[in-house]
């Protein structure tokens, strides 16, 4: 790393955007598609789609495949969004345990 490069401390980075937020803001709203319509297209209960949009449910490999097919994206896109959130949360949990152990 060059001296002029400044990287934020990993614990101070904001959380990544949730897959559900991306789903709602980048696909559902622009297409005028309801969660119910997407759920029907995916062959899932609307509660699954709503859980993802609300951030209460993670995107699984199966859901990523269904989202990719329904929205003409790739499953990796959805899994990468979820992975970023999972890694951010795990880092915060581990750093909290390290701080507690050092006190």
């Amino acid at each position: 790393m060059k001296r002029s490069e400044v990287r934020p401390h990993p614990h101070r980075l904001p959380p990544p955007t949730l897959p559900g937020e991306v789903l709602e803001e980048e696909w559902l709203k622009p297409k005028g598609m309801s969660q119910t319509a997407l759920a029907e297209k995916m062959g899932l209960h609307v509660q699954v789609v709503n859980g993802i949009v609300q951030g209460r449910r993670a995107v699984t490999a199966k859901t990523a495949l269904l989202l990719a097919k329904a929205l003409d994206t790739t499953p990796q896109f959805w899994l990468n969004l979820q992975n970023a959130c999972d890694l951010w949360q795990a880092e915060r949990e581990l750093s909290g345990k390290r701080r507690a152990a050092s006190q």
Side-chain angles (χ1 to χ4, degrees), residues 19-57:
E21 186 177 341
V22 174
L23 175 60
E24 184 174 41
E25 296 299 324
E26 301 295 328
W27 272 272
L28 295 180
K29 284 182 180 179
K31 290 180 179 258
M33 182 185 283
S34 69
Q35 292 179 23
T36 303
L38 177 61
E40 288 173 1
K41 191 171 184 179
M42 294 171 64
L44 297 173
H45 291 283
V46 69
Q47 290 90 343
V48 174
V49 173
N50 183 259
I52 293 168
V53 169
Q54 296 298 317
R56 295 186 317 263
R57 184 183 291 258

Side-chain angles (χ1 to χ4, degrees), residues 3-83:
R3 292 185 130 239
S4 61
E5 290 182 53
V6 177
R7 290 187 181 171
H9 193 277
H11 305 299
R12 293 191 182 115
L13 291 174
T17 305
L18 295 171
E21 186 177 341
V22 174
L23 175 60
E24 184 174 41
E25 296 299 324
E26 301 295 328
W27 272 272
L28 295 180
K29 284 182 180 179
K31 290 180 179 258
M33 182 185 283
S34 69
Q35 292 179 23
T36 303
L38 177 61
E40 288 173 1
K41 191 171 184 179
M42 294 171 64
L44 297 173
H45 291 283
V46 69
Q47 290 90 343
V48 174
V49 173
N50 183 259
I52 293 168
V53 169
Q54 296 298 317
R56 295 186 317 263
R57 184 183 291 258
V59 173
T60 64
K62 178 184 172 185
T63 309
L65 288 166
L66 294 170
L67 283 166
K69 185 175 180 182
L71 301 172
D72 195 30
T73 63
T74 66
Q76 290 80 10
F77 174 77
W78 299 103
L79 289 175
N80 286 342
L81 290 171
Q82 186 63 55
N83 193 41

